[in-house]
């Protein structure tokens, strides 16, 4: 087994050949500046032995297409004026560039002429290219900035393991090979450095490189015919991709079958803990890591998310000012992944809550932790709309090959079918739907690389799956939500127990690349808590909807109930709107309150003893799920009036005031003492969210029989485990 990547170049610097070699200038292009991806950046031109920039005057998407194709990409996605990727230095070589889009080089496009410009570097143009490369594109050695030296074709790169490592998952060691003109060739290791290995390992999802048993590879290479690629490679170790490294010196003629005293290049990579191979299963089970200093939240897939850092025991976000691939790679490697694929800005993976801990982060790229990088403590002017995020390279674990969705209307939905061993052969089968829920569906979508689950199905008769895969091969599945694949969840193993059977009752999922994320405003709960003694004759509707404790049914109309009241403000900080699971036709009409319930139990309110046992409880149905208020610039979309659409828009919040029915906990039977107030949103996982760990909130309470004090309210996951105000209490949303 080999793993490879579609890699068309060893340098983003491209050779431009003139139609008339004697007349047209020869130039090179590169992408530079504060870029977040290796296929975007400030457009720079190498001309007359000097690098310079391009002015944005009259620049167009056609000119961007020409530049990107010249760099080996399929084309351009966009271009950016006004030095979006930072201001360059030196000459501004091109101004008023007019391209039709069909030119082979930017030098062919009409312009003012090289060096003729009235622009400043605040007008430097940038481009965002299509990340797909042109197969067999011609490139050049630029070691000495000599654009006339030679041309080169590089189509792919792979790491080929030796036969004894073929069954290892993931593959961490092997020969580095280049596909050149349709043939796989080795690289001579005479000028190969550990920094080159670091880049290769990072590309394939590994945080670092290590030494290997050279004797084994020397023995193998001596017995096999070698076919060396004609160049060396020169990486700094900070490149996110080998395509960003420069080519080194060319090998001497007739040396394609020999390498002096050297041997073919071999890399050996160190996998992150979550991907470390084990002899029994090929990968480790899901584990509980030690308290980290950095974490990812809100990502749809493994190795991506909003970056959060721990400071003084409190989790906070990072402002995206100066956020780039180098800093993102430090995060990825720290967390056990490879180099960063993308450094995302503008809260692309959802907004965080709490403080913004870091701003203007600058890393050398070799730091062990993001907290070792230089940064500005002052985040004044930064908001959560500027939260930084990353997407990391992860190892090829083969998870997607062992699961599939069958019968759906599109690739994002269908009956879940898994590949398992039976009687010595591999067969496809279904998953028992008993107790199948949103958490299990989330693991399936993550394993398939399809993002979040939007729905979990316990019946799939409407999806005509593969009839040969109707038999149940996995039952009793119960996931915590942290697993990378379904087999890592608890299940019955070989002892299948599924009374309903598979086929039409098999488990199914629907996936989405975006999801909402609800978070409760803990401060508002703390500020609005109070007690009210309310007569039973004013609580008849609440009694019908089970908003009072069981002893209330024995009271007459003249008695009173003591209610712990508070307001709740629920924010949607995710990437998509929060909508009820059920449509209009399935909503429940409640005659007493004269309204519909779109979600029968939207929140749980509990009063707990200090050891975690429940002493009083309440619940709130979502009879009115709407946008009460929104962040500036966001329009309200949902309102309950006139049987309107219900939901919470991204960037908006729904407020349940303290003075409405059922917005309380009945504490009539509670004795004076110290307690914990707990609020859980979406407790039954009726609606998918990108992060369930922040769906609960806890406060400390002191009740003296007449008054109540509420303090130290905290949202789930906002503090480190060492700073936990509630020791011994686990998050029920993580451990069901």
């Amino acid at each position: 087994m080999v793993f490879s990547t579609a890699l068309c170049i060893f340098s983003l610097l491209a050779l431009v050949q003139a139609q008339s070699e004697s007349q047209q200038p020869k130039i090179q292009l590169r992408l530079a500046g504060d870029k977040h991806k290796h296929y975007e950046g400030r457009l720079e031109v190498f001309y007359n032995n000097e690098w310079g920039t391009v002015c944005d005057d009259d620049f167009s998407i056609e000119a961007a297409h020409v530049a990107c194709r010249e760099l080996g990409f399929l084309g351009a996605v966009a271009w950016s004026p006004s030095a979006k990727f930072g201001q360059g230095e030196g000459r501004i070589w091109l101004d008023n560039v007019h391209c039709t889009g069909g030119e082979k080089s930017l030098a062919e496009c009409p312009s003012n002429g090289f060096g003729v410009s009235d622009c400043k570097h605040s007008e430097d143009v940038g481009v965002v290219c299509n990340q797909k490369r042109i197969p067999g594109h011609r490139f050049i050695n630029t070691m000495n900035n000599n654009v006339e030296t030679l041309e080169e074709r590089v189509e792919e790169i792979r790491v080929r393991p030796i036969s004894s490592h073929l069954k290892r998952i993931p593959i961490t060691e092997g020969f580095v090979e280049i596909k050149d003109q349709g043939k796989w060739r080795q690289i001579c290791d005479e000028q190969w450095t550990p920094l080159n290995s670091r880049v290769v390992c990072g590309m394939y999802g590994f945080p670092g490189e290590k030494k290997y048993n050279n004797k084994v590879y020397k023995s193998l290479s001596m017995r096999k015919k070698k076919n060396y690629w004609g160049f060396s490679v020169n990486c700094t170790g900070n490149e996110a991709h080998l395509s960003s490294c420069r080519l080194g010196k060319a090998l001497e003629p007739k040396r394609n079958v020999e390498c002096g005293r050297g041997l073919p290049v071999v890399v050996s990579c160190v996998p992150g803990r979550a991907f470390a191979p084990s002899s029994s299963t090929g990968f480790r089970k899901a584990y509980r890591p030690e308290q980290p200093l950095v974490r990812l939240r809100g990502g749809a897939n493994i190795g991506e998310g909003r970056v959060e850092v721990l400071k003084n025991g409190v989790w906070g976000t990072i402002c995206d000012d100066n956020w780039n691939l180098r800093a993102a790679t430090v995060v990825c490697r720290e967390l056990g992944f490879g180099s960063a694929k993308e450094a995302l800005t503008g809260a692309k993976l959802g907004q965080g809550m709490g403080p913004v801990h870091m701003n203007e982060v600058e890393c050398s790229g070799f730091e062990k932790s993001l907290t070792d990088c230089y940064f500005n403590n002052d985040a004044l002017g930064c908001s959560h709309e500027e939260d930084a995020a990353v997407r990391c390279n992860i190892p090829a674990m083969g998870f997607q090959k062992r699961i599939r969705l069958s019968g759906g209307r599109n690739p994002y939905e269908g009956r879940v079918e898994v590949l398992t061993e039976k009687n010595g052969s591999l067969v496809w089968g279904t998953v028992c739907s008993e107790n199948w829920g949103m958490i299990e569906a989330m693991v399936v979508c993550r394993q398939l690389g399809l993002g979040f689950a939007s729905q979990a199905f316990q019946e799939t008769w409407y999806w005509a799956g593969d009839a040969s895969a109707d038999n149940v091969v996995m039952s009793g599945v119960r996931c915590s939500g942290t697993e990378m694949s379904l087999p890592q969840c608890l299940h019955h193993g070989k002892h299948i127990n599924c009374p309903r059977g598979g086929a039409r009752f098999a488990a199914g999922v629907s996936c989405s690349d975006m999801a909402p994320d609800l978070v409760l405003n803990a401060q508002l709960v703390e500020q609005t808590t109070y007690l009210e003694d309310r007569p039973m004759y004013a609580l008849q509707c609440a009694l019908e909807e089970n908003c009072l404790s069981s002893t209330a049914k024995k009271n007459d109309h003249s008695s009173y109930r003591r209610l712990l009241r508070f307001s709740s403000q629920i924010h949607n900080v995710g990437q998509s709107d929060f909508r009820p699971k059920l449509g209009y036709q399935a909503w429940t009409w409640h005659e007493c309150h004269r309204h519909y319930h779109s979600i029968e139990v939207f929140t749980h309110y509990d009063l707990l003893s200090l050891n975690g046992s429940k002493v009083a409880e309440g619940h709130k149905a979502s009879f009115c799920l709407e946008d009460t208020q929104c962040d500036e610039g966001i329009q309200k979309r949902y309102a309950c009036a006139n049987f309107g659409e219900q939901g919470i828009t991204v960037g908006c919040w729904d407020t349940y005031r303290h003075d409405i029915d059922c917005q309380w906990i009945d504490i009539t039977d509670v004795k004076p003492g110290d307690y914990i107030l707990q609020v859980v949103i979406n407790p039954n996982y009726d609606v998918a969210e990108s992060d369930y760990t922040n769906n609960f909130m806890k406060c400390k309470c002191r009740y003296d029989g007449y008054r109540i004090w509420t303090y130290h309210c905290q949202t789930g996951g906002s503090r480190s485990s060492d700073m936990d105000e509630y020791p011994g209490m686990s998050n029920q949303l993580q451990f069901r």
Side-chain angles (χ1 to χ4, degrees), residues 712-733:
H712 289 178
C713 293
Q714 297 176 11
T715 304
S718 63
R719 300 293 182 99
S720 74
S721 56
D722 296 335
M723 297 287 290
D724 192 355
E725 296 273 357
Y726 310 95
M729 296 184 62
S730 63
N731 175 9
Q732 69 180 83
L733 294 169

Side-chain angles (χ1 to χ4, degrees), residues 82 183 220 245 250 307 370 399 408 418 442 576 619 621 678 694:
S82 305
K183 295 182 179 180
L220 284 171
C245 299
V307 182
L370 189 70
F399 289 147
V418 295
M442 283 283 190
S576 65
H619 77 272
Q678 177 177 271
N694 57 14

Side-chain angles (χ1 to χ4, degrees), residues 468-484:
S468 65
D470 280 350
N471 292 334
V472 175
V473 296
M474 182 177 286
S475 65
V477 179
R478 199 167 183 82
C479 304
S480 69
T482 63
E483 298 86 354
M484 292 188 291

Side-chain angles (χ1 to χ4, degrees), residues 211-284:
K211 294 182 179 180
Y212 57 91
N213 186 350
N214 189 49
K215 293 181 180 179
V216 174
Y217 290 95
K218 185 174 182 179
S219 175
L220 284 171
S221 64
M222 294 292 287
R223 287 180 289 178
K224 291 189 177 182
K225 183 180 178 180
K226 292 172 284 297
N227 186 12
Y228 286 107
W229 189 55
F231 305 92
S232 58
V233 184
N234 184 15
C235 301
T236 66
N238 270 328
E239 294 85 356
H241 204 274
L242 212 60
S243 63
S244 300
C245 299
R246 286 175 176 255
L247 293 181
K249 294 179 180 179
L251 296 181
E252 296 176 10
K254 298 182 180 181
R255 285 192 58 188
N256 63 325
V257 295
E258 58 184 64
C259 179
R261 298 180 180 179
L263 296 168
V265 164
V266 175
V267 295
S268 183
C269 305
V270 180
R273 181 175 177 182
F275 304 100
S278 68
S279 57
S280 58
T281 61
F283 51 84
R284 291 187 184 274

